[in-house]
Amino acid sequence: MRPPANPICVALDAPDWDSNRAVASATAPSVGAFKVGLSAYVGSGSGPLEELAAERPVFLDLKLHDIPQQVAGAVAAVARLPVAYTTVHAAGGRDMLRAAADAAGPALELLGVTVLTSLDEPALKVLGLAGPIEQAVTRLAELALEAGCPGLVCSPLEIAGLRRRFGGRAAGGPLLVVPGIRPDGAPAGDQRRTLPPERALADGADLLVIGRPITGAADPGAAARALATAVGR
Ligand code: C5P
């Protein structure tokens, strides 16, 4: 599946659907996809996905991580929803990733989450993962791609390295979905590894996941328009 022509994917992360609906309708003209994350999905369930999918492709970001049988069942259930992209943690291991890839079928693009953009090297060390973050990302990316995931979620700082290692989209390289996007001067919040949108695209990102810089703005529609202009859309 090709990524949408407009690479901005707005993250609808409010637990109540009224807030998400307001952001979705204000931003729809300026974005290429909507991401529904854990807060919104646990808060509101799958009912609202239909109305979103009527406007733009939906990325249901559940970051699944469990035993292979459970994850396969969950991915098969997601494949029955109006969802174009969904996520599994690559750290769930080869068997879990293969089971997820088999369950996804042709219409659902499965993305392997490498290392959360909220984690930095000291935080990874606490988890027992010593060494440069790029090594962990490359290892997890290899695992996910070998297991049959067509795409990856990575931080903006890893896009260029992943493109060097696995190639560009034209050469059959993975779909790269990138959160941790911050326009120059925007507060990072809990994100640790960030880049402005133009840089992330220049490095080879396909889809930019942008949450608080849009949803936390006084006028989310205007914030989305400004970002779309910044990336030439
Ligand atoms: O508000 P912000 O722009 O930081 O939102 C980023 C979104 O991307 C959140 O919905 C978060 O769950 C998601 N995400 C992330 N890091 C990943 C994968 C997804 O921040 N590795």
Side-chain angles (χ1 to χ4, degrees), residues 11 13 35 61 63 113 115-117 153 179-182 190-191 209-213:
D13 284 334
K35 184 176 91 83
D61 184 21
K63 299 193 183 71
V113 177
V115 175
L116 292 179
T117 41
V153 180
I181 300 297
R182 290 294 180 265
D190 55 1
Q191 299 287 13
V209 174
I210 308 182
R212 288 161 290 184

Side-chain angles (χ1 to χ4, degrees), residues 147-174:
C149 294
L152 300 168
V153 180
C154 65
S155 99
L157 304 189
E158 285 114 33
I159 305 165
L162 290 173
R163 284 288 177 226
R164 273 195 300 278
R165 172 77 181 75
F166 300 108
R169 289 277 290 166

Side-chain angles (χ1 to χ4, degrees), residues 90 114 136-146 152 162 166:
T114 55
V137 170
T138 306
R139 213 170 41 240
L140 289 164
E142 248 161 32
L143 198 62
L145 297 175
E146 277 170 20
L152 300 168
L162 290 173
F166 300 108

Side-chain angles (χ1 to χ4, degrees), residues 193-224:
R193 294 159 20 247
T194 65
L195 275 187
E198 310 85 321
R199 279 284 312 282
L201 286 178
D203 282 358
D206 296 301
L207 206 56
L208 306 176
V209 174
I210 308 182
R212 288 161 290 184
I214 294 175
T215 57
D219 181 346

Side-chain angles (χ1 to χ4, degrees), residues 24-219:
S25 49
T27 59
S30 313
V31 304
F34 294 127
K35 184 176 91 83
V36 173
L38 271 179
S39 333
Y41 188 73
V42 173
S44 310
S46 60
L49 299 178
E50 202 75 58
E51 67 178 87
L52 285 183
E55 291 281 337
R56 293 285 177 271
V58 173
F59 169 15
L60 182 60
D61 184 21
L62 301 180
K63 299 193 183 71
L64 299 167
H65 189 168
D66 202 333
I67 60 170
Q69 177 251 13
Q70 278 297 304
V71 170
V75 170
V78 172
R80 293 191 286 274
L81 298 171
V83 168
Y85 310 93
T86 198
T87 41
V88 289
H89 266 291
R94 185 172 286 119
D95 290 349
M96 190 206 83
L97 290 164
R98 282 202 180 132
D102 287 347
L108 177 63
E109 198 109 28
L110 191 66
L111 309 170
V113 177
T114 55
V115 175
L116 292 179
T117 41
S118 54
L119 297 175
D120 55 12
E121 262 166 43
L124 282 187
K125 206 166 164 201
V126 171
L127 296 176
L129 288 170
I133 229 157
E134 294 74 25
Q135 274 176 21
V137 170
T138 306
R139 213 170 41 240
L140 289 164
E142 248 161 32
L143 198 62
L145 297 175
E146 277 170 20
C149 294
L152 300 168
V153 180
C154 65
S155 99
L157 304 189
E158 285 114 33
I159 305 165
L162 290 173
R163 284 288 177 226
R164 273 195 300 278
R165 172 77 181 75
F166 300 108
R169 289 277 290 166
L175 181 89
L176 292 186
V177 176
V178 182
I181 300 297
R182 290 294 180 265
D184 276 329
D190 55 1
Q191 299 287 13
R192 295 282 172 271
R193 294 159 20 247
T194 65
L195 275 187
E198 310 85 321
R199 279 284 312 282
L201 286 178
D203 282 358
D206 296 301
L207 206 56
L208 306 176
V209 174
I210 308 182
R212 288 161 290 184
I214 294 175
T215 57
D219 181 346

